[in-house]
Amino acid sequence: MTTKQKLLQICNERVDKRMNDYKEEINLIKESIASNDKGSSEDDDAGHGKLLNDLEKNMSYLNDAKKTKEYLSNIKTNVESKEAMLGSIVKTNMMSFYISTSIGKIELDDAVFYAISVNSPIGQLLINKPVNTSFEFNQNKYVITEII
């Protein structure tokens, strides 16, 4: 398995975990709402409203995670490019990035990669840039040394 394939797999696993966590939370909230409905009084209305609000938030998070999962399915691990694109590993003089989704730090095979979104501020600076391009981010000067 290539490094790109491993990174994509890790991203998918993390999104799957996120989705499962949201589904579990949604089920717990639904159970709480159902049990509150059985012995409802006026005092419970505020708590009921909070539960409904939490349910709505978690359903929105789940929907976002599903969109992220769908987005990850667009990444092709066998495509090579001279410029940074979705699915690229971009090595710089300071750190290595995996352009995919905002997952954050991934430690893999004694290396550290930062999974970032194309739409993130640093993703915007990297996308479509070739090797030897330099840019500044958070007062640090980066130079792209390799694109895989």
Side-chain angles (χ1 to χ4, degrees):
M1 192 181 280
T2 67
T3 302
K4 277 185 176 182
Q5 290 169 328
K6 289 178 187 176
L7 286 168
L8 181 57
Q9 180 181 355
I10 290 167
C11 287
N12 273 304
E13 287 169 357
R14 290 198 186 167
V15 172
D16 287 342
K17 183 182 180 333
R18 232 186 254 169
M19 287 171 54
N20 287 332
D21 290 348
Y22 294 138
K23 286 176 186 175
E24 284 178 27
E25 189 66 22
I26 287 166
N27 287 334
L28 286 172
I29 293 168
K30 284 180 177 178
E31 287 173 18
S32 292
I33 289 171
S35 66
N36 278 357
D37 283 346
K38 290 175 187 164
S40 184
S41 70
E42 282 184 38
D43 294 340
D44 292 334
D45 285 348
H48 192 72
K50 183 183 178 332
L51 285 172
L52 288 173
N53 190 27
D54 289 348
L55 179 64
E56 193 174 303
K57 266 197 282 189
N58 277 283
M59 290 179 93
S60 175
Y61 296 152
L62 177 60
N63 194 37
D64 289 346
K66 285 178 180 177
K67 287 178 187 171
T68 300
K69 184 79 173 165
E70 190 176 311
Y71 182 74
L72 287 173
S73 71
N74 293 319
I75 295 177
K76 307 294 178 240
T77 57
N78 59 347
V79 175
E80 290 187 25
S81 174
K82 300 259 185 242
E83 296 178 342
M85 59 182 270
L86 181 65
S88 292
I89 295 171
V90 181
K91 294 186 177 187
T92 70
N93 58 318
M94 308 221 13
M95 56 184 60
S96 297
F97 300 96
Y98 178 54
I99 303 176
S100 53
T101 189
S102 296
I103 296 287
K105 185 177 181 179
I106 298 173
E107 294 182 32
L108 176 68
D109 300 334
D110 299 321
V112 175
F113 300 89
Y114 290 88
I116 60 166
S117 164
V118 168
N119 298 321
S120 68
I122 199 155
Q124 288 291 297
L125 293 170
L126 290 173
I127 204 72
N128 299 320
K129 301 294 188 297
V131 171
N132 294 325
T133 300
S134 60
F135 61 93
E136 255 186 65
F137 184 72
N138 285 343
Q139 291 138 8
N140 291 312
K141 185 170 174 131
Y142 292 81
V143 178
I144 298 174
T145 58
E146 186 180 5
I147 296 173
I148 302 170

